[in-house]
Amino acid sequence: MRVIAIRPQPGCTATFAAAAGIGLDVEPWPLFEIVGRAWRPPAPETIDALLLGSANAVRHFGPALAQFAGMPAYAVGEATAAAARAAGLPVAATGTRDLQALVGTLAGPLRLLRPCGADHVALHPPAGVSIDTRVVYASEPRSLSPAQAARLGEGALVLLHSGLAAAHLRAECTRLGVPLSAVALAALAPRIAAAAGSGWRTVRVADAPGDSALLALARDMCHKPDGE
């Protein structure tokens, strides 16, 4: 079965490389481009730590990152934690599920700065924990080509890393007449699968956050009839 990654670069290439490492052939079709946004950070003295939901939040923090040097960071997963360390940020904790689960483990008083994408999930911190959310990047969609649509229609398994990707893929398949029943989906989280809607060949969700779990799921789906 053809396996396709549609996440933006450089993540799409990273997924391709990680897949090759486990013997899985993945075609990189980035349907998004990450674009930095102009933003104004809060005064560093009003923040105790950074809350990072993706490596893109680190990549697009910009020159203001120097103002927060040495400040502890809470990262949603290992890839984000690695990006934080590479930028000189000490990682206080790394999540094993999603950002809300990580936030739920924190205790106040704690003032967090959350640099994030324009498409982000609302968080509900516990008492004593405040979150200052600032948009530092956006994921801009790109169109499927007619040739790509034709290849999807022949049967494929698409890897979904975000709810935005799920919704965009559905819209593009509808626009170009790709039968959803020809396409199987492997989603990184339940909310991402929900964003894709119904009608697909099959939809399964990784049992842990991160590319390794998603790719393991994809490999499993490739070795089962109908990707189930």
Side-chain angles (χ1 to χ4, degrees):
M1 183 187 300
R2 175 178 291 119
V3 183
I4 298 166
I6 62 172
R7 67 189 303 202
Q9 296 290 20
C12 210
T13 296
T15 294
F16 170 81
I22 63 169
L24 182 65
D25 184 18
V26 170
E27 299 180 28
W29 293 9
L31 287 188
F32 296 87
E33 181 181 357
I34 300 298
V35 178
R37 288 274 187 91
W39 71 292
R40 180 173 297 180
E45 60 269 20
T46 66
I47 299 298
D48 300 313
L50 303 179
L51 180 64
L52 304 174
S54 77
N56 284 320
V58 181
R59 296 186 189 108
H60 294 279
F61 204 101
L65 187 61
Q67 301 176 39
F68 298 87
M71 189 169 287
Y74 295 91
V76 68
E78 288 297 339
T80 303
R85 293 188 189 99
L89 297 170
V91 176
T94 302
T96 57
R97 288 173 53 200
D98 55 30
L99 205 56
Q100 179 59 58
L102 175 60
V103 167
T105 67
L106 305 180
L110 185 62
R111 301 167 299 176
L112 299 170
L113 170 60
R114 180 194 183 190
C116 63
D119 178 63
H120 57 271
V121 177
L123 298 176
H124 306 284
V129 177
S130 64
I131 301 176
D132 187 338
T133 300
R134 305 287 176 109
V135 173
V136 303
Y137 70 90
S139 185
E140 297 187 352
R142 299 291 180 259
S143 299
L144 273 174
S145 70
Q148 288 173 323
R151 295 181 73 189
L152 283 177
E154 295 169 357
L157 168 60
V158 179
L159 309 179
L160 296 178
H161 288 78
S162 72
L164 185 65
H168 181 54
L169 176 66
R170 185 183 187 91
E172 284 296 282
C173 286
T174 300
R175 180 179 69 85
L176 292 166
V178 177
L180 302 189
S181 59
V183 182
L185 304 178
L188 195 59
R191 67 173 182 83
I192 297 173
S198 60
W200 304 95
R201 179 174 174 177
T202 188
V203 181
R204 290 183 58 186
V205 178
D207 58 11
D211 245 12
S212 58
L214 185 62
L215 291 172
L217 170 62
R219 184 173 57 181
D220 181 60
M221 293 174 72
C222 285
H223 289 88
K224 292 186 177 180
D226 297 325
E228 297 178 0

